Amino acid sequence: MAETKTMMIEEECFDVLTETGEKTGISKPRSEVHRNGDYHRAVHVWIYAESTGEVLVQKRADGKDSWPGLWDISSAGHISAGHSSLITARRELEEELGITLPKDAFELLFVYLQQCVINDGSFINNEYDDVYLVTTLHPIPLEAFTLQETEVSAVKYIPFEEYRSLLTKQHPDYVLYDVNGQYGQLFDIIQQRYKENPTARSLTLQKQLYRYAPVSLSAEVLSDLSDGDKEALDFLIKAAKIVDEIFYLQVWYNNPSLRDWLKEHADASELDKMKWMYYLINKSPWSCLDENKAFLTTADSAVKLLPEATKPVGGWKGLEYKSAFPIRKPPGANFYPPDMDKNEFELWKSTLTESQQKDATGFFIAIKRRTEFSSGSSQLNHTVGSTDHLVGNHDLSSIPYSEEYNSLLTKAAELLHKAGNLASSPSLKRLLHSKANAFLSNDYYESDIAWMELVQLESPSCWNQALFMDSKLDVTIGPYMTYEDRLFGYKATFGAYIGLRDDKATAQLKLFGDNLQVLEQNLPMDNAYKSADVSAAPIRVIQLIFNAGDVKGPQTVAFNLPNDERILKERGTSMVMLKNVSQAKFKHILQPIADVCITKEQKELVDFESFFTHTICHECCHGIGPHAITLPNGEKSTVRKEMQELYSALEEAKADIVGLWALKFLINKDMLSKSLVESMYVSFLAGCFRSVRFGLEEAHGKGQAVQFNWLFEKGAFILHPDGTFSVDFAKVEGAVESLSREILTIQAKGDKAAARLLLQQYCIMTEPLKLALNKLEALQVPVDIVPTFPIAHETLE
């Protein structure tokens, strides 16, 4: 009896999933899962030898309770309750074959639902398999393997095309997979990856590169800076480069390794050079302008040698593998475990205290698995009797950025302190020292306040009337934007913008800051949702000297910060306009778009003043409208918290369309010239085509598609037989107001379902949009600019 009880206690438990593959929070023993047909998770690991085009297969031991004695995938295993997919893949490979590999050797290809009933109905398998590929340069010598006899009786290599043929013919010696169905992706991916025509690939990359217009961005003469500020500028640029390093790591944990490899091999061929150039624009292997589709594969990646990955073999230097990255860009970037889904996060969060939940959803906290910090995962095994079900079995933990990126942040903080000691302005000194401290404390409140006060006077009510700080240097550095977190929109990426303030242009913007409260009180939404204490948002215009970090693909023309809801409530926001970036985009992109897409009668109305003025208003409108909200059930919350992954796209659409509404409101009140009316609408129309070209995976592109399609549906935008567009001035004002009301009300109610429906209906590539975009592509009108920074280049040489 005691022996039976011991066997029951040691039985492995699995997390039970829903039919759609999400964790339920319940765990059951293995035998019960397969007896009842519960959905659960496992890993499949394939080892592919690049030089020979062969895959490794293993022969299952005769004592296995499923498919005994048949040839099967390289390695496989169930994911134990509370364990992670990647940890399991590494563990199974080590236990079954004696191969020890780091996590960057594993490329997640796809998730496969395997469903079958065997053993006369006693074994029901409803299994979600995470399918991984390990790419080695050459086959591993068979004598290098250490086989787990209870699991594996033999291994061999077989050409992948021959293996596919055997599966297609349902050879009785092999575990069957439907290679004409979902599992066929494995073979399709390998074939496409290694049989692609280099000439065709070069042409594709060349076409992708042509979408970016090279621009050299220079600012006004640095002679206006004090000697101290010039020295400080050198340290600031160096600190920004460290921020760049952090961002590469935030995108994907293996991203820095891929970057270094591509740089090292950029001179090997013209194709390698183009890979490197396009990688630098995107700062990852995923193309921003192509819905984040990978333009590189693991076959392009770094080769790493592991002499001790297996037992030694005479005359063999060891295992060489390709450092991997996934085909599909991970929605959680490197902020969350790559195998974590939203449901797992929510189940874990529900077990936390209120303070811990705040951390878990905070801007400056990464989420990791506890098993990642342990060489063995046995300490997290949960063993129970056959009738006990585990609930609340969680493996996630919160890690502050100050710990996650400690070595890099320490270097950046040292440089900011040095710059702060040299800076001539007290407000700049305060900003740099407080930001340096924030890097190490993970508390950004004081440094964000210091950033907002960078150009404020002794009397905040007259923030941009006459006097400005001594220094012309303007610095924004730290974790701010949340676009990379496509799971929830919680986590902030690091970025840096260094520029010289344009005092004349800044002084002209007083009108917008002074009227934010007026705009708030007149927003097209119910009065119950309006705030009575909107703060005037300081606006500064700068000439950009250097940017780094989260500035990939399409370049930012302006930003509105901070995102901290406490500061938004207390002080509002501050805006920075990058005038030389805006001028470059207007000249190289918007003007050519107007020439192609706008009717002859209206294209002359597209001008820089309207484009730049709407950009200003867009940023202002981030500071008005719903932020802190009361839900229908009386609970206090925020728009960001309720919208989660939909927040960025909806907020960008709001700022855009409400910005257009606000301009018309100010014109009606005689605060802006009536000459702007027609030009602002036509410039906005041309701008729609510019932003949608960023892709419908990008927040600005999503928001712009919603606006264009709504206004087109309402008849405010007209498509003519010659393929050009125009604005119906009689309908556009009403259409703008109706969409503004729709988005503002969704935000005010925290209605995520309505937000999702709006995006589903209008964030689509409609025929009018396709027509315009095809014309622009055919004529090779640039989609955006790729800047170089001569001043910073001299510093970094």
Side-chain angles (χ1 to χ4, degrees), residues 689-707:
F689 302 127
R690 181 183 73 87
S691 296
V692 169
R693 296 176 84 200
F694 298 160
L696 299 190
E697 286 291 319
E698 195 269 347
H700 298 81
K702 285 181 179 180
Q704 200 73 73
V706 169
Q707 294 167 84

Side-chain angles (χ1 to χ4, degrees), residues 463-535:
W463 55 268
N464 65 357
Q465 289 182 4
L467 300 174
F468 293 92
M469 63 181 186
D470 299 333
S471 174
K472 294 178 72 65
L473 277 178
D474 192 281
V475 182
T476 302
I477 188 168
Y480 287 110
M481 303 306 178
T482 60
Y483 301 129
E484 285 295 305
D485 180 1
R486 294 182 295 127
L487 269 182
F488 295 106
Y490 293 152
K491 307 306 175 187
T493 49
F494 279 82
Y497 295 86
I498 301 169
L500 295 180
R501 199 186 60 254
D502 186 325
D503 289 341
K504 181 179 178 181
T506 299
Q508 294 172 344
L509 305 182
K510 183 176 184 297
L511 168 71
F512 297 97
D514 285 354
N515 284 283
L516 278 189
Q517 186 64 64
V518 176
L519 291 171
E520 173 77 19
Q521 293 309 119
N522 287 277
L523 283 173
M525 66 176 178
D526 291 351
N527 289 332
Y529 301 137
K530 296 174 182 177
S531 174
D533 57 353
V534 172
S535 301

Side-chain angles (χ1 to χ4, degrees), residues 409-710:
L409 287 174
T410 299
K411 294 176 184 177
E414 291 173 357
L415 291 165
L416 290 183
H417 278 310
K418 290 178 179 179
N421 292 336
L422 292 165
S424 61
S425 159
S427 61
L428 183 57
K429 283 180 179 290
R430 180 192 170 203
L431 168 66
L432 298 179
H433 288 306
S434 62
K435 189 65 71 174
N437 293 335
F439 280 178
L440 302 183
S441 70
N442 218 53
D443 182 354
Y444 286 86
Y445 182 84
E446 290 299 328
S447 67
D448 279 346
I449 294 293
W451 180 82
M452 291 190 70
E453 294 178 346
L454 191 59
V455 295
Q456 287 190 352
L457 309 179
E458 293 181 7
S459 174
S461 63
C462 56
W463 55 268
N464 65 357
Q465 289 182 4
L467 300 174
F468 293 92
M469 63 181 186
D470 299 333
S471 174
K472 294 178 72 65
L473 277 178
D474 192 281
V475 182
T476 302
I477 188 168
Y480 287 110
M481 303 306 178
T482 60
Y483 301 129
E484 285 295 305
D485 180 1
R486 294 182 295 127
L487 269 182
F488 295 106
Y490 293 152
K491 307 306 175 187
T493 49
F494 279 82
Y497 295 86
I498 301 169
L500 295 180
R501 199 186 60 254
D502 186 325
D503 289 341
K504 181 179 178 181
T506 299
Q508 294 172 344
L509 305 182
K510 183 176 184 297
L511 168 71
F512 297 97
D514 285 354
N515 284 283
L516 278 189
Q517 186 64 64
V518 176
L519 291 171
E520 173 77 19
Q521 293 309 119
N522 287 277
L523 283 173
M525 66 176 178
D526 291 351
N527 289 332
Y529 301 137
K530 296 174 182 177
S531 174
D533 57 353
V534 172
S535 301
I539 308 172
R540 56 223 204 216
V541 180
I542 69 170
Q543 302 287 337
L544 186 65
I545 294 174
F546 186 59
N547 63 18
D550 191 358
V551 282
K552 65 190 190 320
Q555 294 290 302
T556 298
V557 297
F559 49 87
N560 184 297
L561 296 171
N563 291 320
D564 190 322
E565 300 288 352
R566 296 172 299 170
I567 300 176
L568 285 173
K569 186 175 181 180
E570 295 167 8
R571 297 187 177 221
T573 60
S574 288
M575 283 157 277
V576 177
M577 318 295 298
L578 313 179
K579 192 168 185 179
N580 53 349
V581 177
S582 294
Q583 288 168 328
K585 289 201 179 201
F586 182 82
K587 176 182 177 182
H588 292 279
I589 301 159
L590 201 66
Q591 199 72 64
I593 287 175
D595 291 339
V596 174
C597 294
I598 306 300
T599 60
K600 182 179 179 181
E601 294 77 15
Q602 291 191 0
K603 69 180 178 181
E604 297 303 322
L605 292 169
V606 178
D607 61 24
F608 178 72
E609 180 185 3
S610 298
F611 171 65
F612 192 60
T613 304
H614 178 256
T615 302
I616 295 167
C617 223
H618 168 109
E619 298 302 330
C620 284
C621 289
H622 278 303
I624 61 175
H627 289 285
I629 59 175
T630 302
L631 300 177
N633 63 5
E635 182 184 344
K636 301 292 184 182
S637 186
T638 66
V639 177
R640 184 184 292 273
K641 181 179 178 181
E642 297 306 314
M643 294 298 110
Q644 295 184 330
E645 78 279 7
L646 307 182
Y647 174 80
S648 293
L650 198 67
E651 178 62 20
E652 290 304 326
K654 180 210 83 172
D656 244 359
I657 201 70
V658 174
L660 203 56
W661 168 87
L663 285 179
K664 188 59 167 64
F665 177 86
L666 295 172
I667 291 169
N668 290 343
K669 296 295 183 182
D670 295 323
M671 297 181 190
L672 288 173
S673 171
K674 286 184 168 53
S675 65
L676 275 175
V677 173
E678 293 186 346
S679 62
M680 73 180 190
Y681 287 131
V682 182
S683 296
F684 178 82
L685 171 58
C688 285
F689 302 127
R690 181 183 73 87
S691 296
V692 169
R693 296 176 84 200
F694 298 160
L696 299 190
E697 286 291 319
E698 195 269 347
H700 298 81
K702 285 181 179 180
Q704 200 73 73
V706 169
Q707 294 167 84
F708 175 88
N709 289 326
W710 180 287

Side-chain angles (χ1 to χ4, degrees), residues 74-98:
S74 307
S75 175
H78 289 101
I79 301 176
S80 300
H83 288 197
S84 79
S85 170
L86 188 54
I87 291 290
T88 301
R90 296 173 66 189
R91 182 195 67 212
E92 292 296 328
L93 204 60
E94 183 172 6
E95 290 180 355
E96 292 186 355
L97 304 182

